[in-house]
Amino acid sequence: MTAAKIVKNNQIKYTYRTSIKECMKALGEEVTKEAIRKELQQMLEKNVFTPVHIQDVKDRKKIIPSMLFLKEKYNAEGTFEKLKARLVGMGNYENREDYEINEISSPTVALNSVMITAAIAAEEMREIATGDIPAAYLNAEIKEDVHMRINAEVTKELIELDNGYLPYVLGDGSVIVHLNKAIYGLLESAKLWYEYLSSKICDMGFQANPVDACVFNKNIGEDQCTIAIHVDDMLATSRSKELLESTITDINKVFKGIVWNKGNKHNYLGMTLIFNKSNKSVSIQMQKYIEDLLTKTKVVGKSKTPCDTMLFEINETSKQLNSKDKDIFHSTIATILFLAKRARPDLLLTTSFLSTRIKAPTEEDQKKLDKLLRYINGTKHLHLNITGDKLLEPWVCIDAAYGCHPDGKGHTGAVEGIGKTGFNHVSRKQRIVAKSSHESEIIGATDQASPALQTREFLEYQGYKLKPTIVYQDNQAAIRSMTKGKGNEGSRHIRIRDFWIKDKIDSGELVLNYLSTDDMVADLLTKPITGKQFVKLRNKLLGWVEI
């Protein structure tokens, strides 16, 4: 699969082609071959594979095919960086039964951990660096005996770099290789790479946070360096410039060719992080992502709110979308959800509801999506601002809407934060039916207090001594029953939830505080709100004013 450039109306667009020849025709032979040779050369240098004669392969049925694809690489702001080639093994041809689940399951840093790390860096005015390890997987040695076929087109380029492969070329122009390194695409490659990378980081004196195995810390005196890793992307922070620089030096000794970005502006995991030391804040922006979404969906017009008050109402007589429009609906919802969970939590309520409609969306659902897109079009300048003040006072606002879904289930909204602004936002349909608004509030509170406790544990392993996490509620009856551990006597499962919260209060981990509905920012993630109240809560949610 290869990408071709098309220039239309002075804008560069890209489509995908299926062969090297097509890519050469579209992008030029020199550009295409340069990308391919760079990929193959690094594989040769890292001894990724060794050519073998096919008669020496014991089980030829297990030879997996390979694929080389080319794509344009952009940063989070949409700026073109390079044409990149990648040769991958077709791991879907491997037998999954040959592996245990723990042999192919690899962790990546949790989004919450990234947000917390960014908030800490903002509050402590840390130095920040981001880097991408080139050809990451190719550093890890493979443990299984795997053979792969390289097709004729790629073999031709490979021989130009190393004619030692020529005696192994088969009649169809392909070559069989034995894999020595964890090439991209194999079932086990991600896990092998994580094990290799984490071992090297630990060798440098770092320790993994038990709550998130992809966050590592190194402490020297009062100084700490934190590294968050997502496959081959690293985010490193430290108050000590010297400690950060020495860490970068140590990493560079192990992994060659890393281009580090330092300063206050970083592209990481699809987000642009902009740190402001003057007010100890970090803004999470995805402006180019929004522009691309609006261009793709051809949005016309603007809306002041993402939904109307009838969001949860379903018209059973509304006509279902055809197959093509259904796929577009699904894809658009997934695209917006990625944005909402990172930089635009004000989109989360509507997106959360529409995500429950993707199996059989109707014309009514499409109208609701169109309104959401018009809202994005009218507010594309908005983004999340996190101010890392009062790190030792974590909090979570939790609200619930009773029986708002057609099946009688309620809806929970939650905003979890450290400092002045939330970093984790939740808007989801409750899993069970509550018998009253009181029960619905308790269900929401107990469900969302759990991740707040996990945040406490994460921060404690980061070295912070915390005050009790404040759980803000706007239902005083629910606060009383949870504080006393006495719920509705007729609902055993609710009483158990009350007792659970009471246990966490008694242990000093949680404290329940009342917050009026007018100031309950989670209300925006629970039910449709319009007018001035919507703007007020949206600004609080995004950190445009203090919570």
Side-chain angles (χ1 to χ4, degrees), residues 18 61 91 112 131 138 186-188 288 335 397 486 516 533:
T18 56
K61 292 182 179 179
N112 285 355
L138 307 185
L186 300 188
L187 293 175
E188 65 271 41
K288 183 60 170 60
T335 301
C397 292
K486 295 180 180 179
S516 69
Q533 181 66 2

Side-chain angles (χ1 to χ4, degrees), residues 262-282:
K262 303 173 185 176
N264 296 324
K265 186 176 182 180
H266 298 267
N267 295 311
Y268 191 67
L269 305 186
M271 302 174 286
T272 299
L273 311 180
I274 302 177
F275 293 86
N276 187 334
K277 291 187 176 180
S278 65
N279 62 4
K280 297 183 178 182
S281 70
V282 55

Side-chain angles (χ1 to χ4, degrees), residues 23-51:
C23 191
M24 288 181 176
K25 183 178 179 181
L27 299 177
E29 183 175 343
E30 183 179 349
V31 172
T32 304
K33 280 197 170 186
E34 181 183 358
I36 294 172
R37 287 174 178 171
K38 185 176 181 180
E39 169 72 354
L40 295 177
Q41 185 61 49
Q42 68 181 357
M43 288 188 160
L44 292 172
E45 292 173 356
K46 292 179 178 291
N47 190 32
V48 173
F49 42 65
T50 304

Side-chain angles (χ1 to χ4, degrees), residues 504-518:
K504 300 304 177 184
I505 293 172
D506 291 344
S507 69
E509 297 171 85
L510 299 178
V511 60
L512 297 179
N513 280 5
Y514 173 75
L515 186 66
S516 69
T517 300
D518 284 346

Side-chain angles (χ1 to χ4, degrees), residues 458-475:
F458 178 87
L459 286 167
E460 287 170 347
Y461 278 116
Q462 290 298 107
Y464 297 95
K465 295 182 179 179
L466 306 174
K467 296 181 180 180
T469 297
I470 303 172
V471 180
Y472 289 108
Q473 276 272 301
D474 64 358
N475 186 306

Side-chain angles (χ1 to χ4, degrees), residues 134-322:
Y137 282 17
L138 307 185
N139 291 281
E141 294 185 359
I142 196 167
K143 298 176 181 179
E144 301 296 326
D145 193 27
V146 180
H147 290 88
M148 182 179 77
R149 183 186 297 272
I150 299 177
N151 68 35
E153 282 186 305
V154 180
T155 296
K156 183 180 178 181
E157 302 300 326
L158 185 60
I159 291 172
E160 289 189 19
L161 296 173
D162 186 349
N163 60 14
Y165 281 76
L166 192 57
Y168 300 88
V169 177
L170 301 174
D172 63 357
S174 68
V175 66
I176 306 300
V177 296
H178 177 270
L179 295 180
N180 305 316
K181 299 293 181 67
I183 193 171
Y184 290 89
L186 300 188
L187 293 175
E188 65 271 41
S189 290
K191 180 62 178 298
L192 293 173
W193 162 242
Y194 169 77
E195 290 176 346
Y196 181 83
L197 175 59
S198 61
S199 68
K200 293 300 180 182
I201 292 177
C202 289
D203 287 345
M204 299 172 194
F206 283 80
Q207 290 184 328
N209 187 312
V211 178
D212 192 326
C214 291
V215 176
F216 298 82
N217 296 292
K218 181 178 182 178
N219 297 291
I220 298 180
E222 296 183 354
D223 294 324
Q224 180 189 70
C225 183
T226 298
I227 301 176
I229 59 171
H230 187 280
V231 189
D232 54 2
D233 293 314
M234 294 181 292
L235 170 66
T237 74
S238 180
R239 283 179 295 186
S240 168
K241 185 175 182 179
E242 292 75 16
L243 180 54
L244 182 62
E245 291 295 338
S246 67
T247 297
I248 290 174
T249 299
D250 289 341
I251 293 173
N252 287 342
K253 290 177 182 177
V254 180
F255 304 105
K256 309 300 181 183
I258 300 176
V259 177
W260 290 95
N261 176 45
K262 303 173 185 176
N264 296 324
K265 186 176 182 180
H266 298 267
N267 295 311
Y268 191 67
L269 305 186
M271 302 174 286
T272 299
L273 311 180
I274 302 177
F275 293 86
N276 187 334
K277 291 187 176 180
S278 65
N279 62 4
K280 297 183 178 182
S281 70
V282 55
S283 65
I284 315 295
Q285 302 186 19
M286 297 175 66
Q287 303 307 115
K288 183 60 170 60
Y289 187 92
I290 292 174
E291 292 290 350
D292 288 346
L293 167 65
L294 296 174
T295 300
K296 181 179 179 180
T297 53
K298 300 178 182 179
V299 179
V300 176
K302 300 178 181 180
S303 174
K304 292 183 179 180
T305 58
C307 62
D308 58 33
T309 56
M310 305 297 286
L311 173 65
F312 293 128
E313 299 295 323
I314 297 176
N315 182 358
E316 300 293 348
T317 64
S318 182
K319 184 179 179 181
Q320 287 198 6
L321 300 180
N322 60 43

Side-chain angles (χ1 to χ4, degrees), residues 422-473:
F423 66 85
N424 180 30
H425 309 86
V426 174
S427 179
R428 64 165 58 103
K429 183 178 180 179
Q430 292 184 345
R431 296 184 179 90
I432 58 177
V433 177
K435 295 192 295 183
S436 66
S437 60
H438 174 261
E439 285 194 0
S440 187
E441 292 283 359
I442 293 173
I443 291 168
T446 49
D447 282 349
Q448 295 309 310
S450 293
L453 291 172
Q454 188 176 43
T455 294
R456 283 188 65 81
E457 189 177 8
F458 178 87
L459 286 167
E460 287 170 347
Y461 278 116
Q462 290 298 107
Y464 297 95
K465 295 182 179 179
L466 306 174
K467 296 181 180 180
T469 297
I470 303 172
V471 180
Y472 289 108
Q473 276 272 301

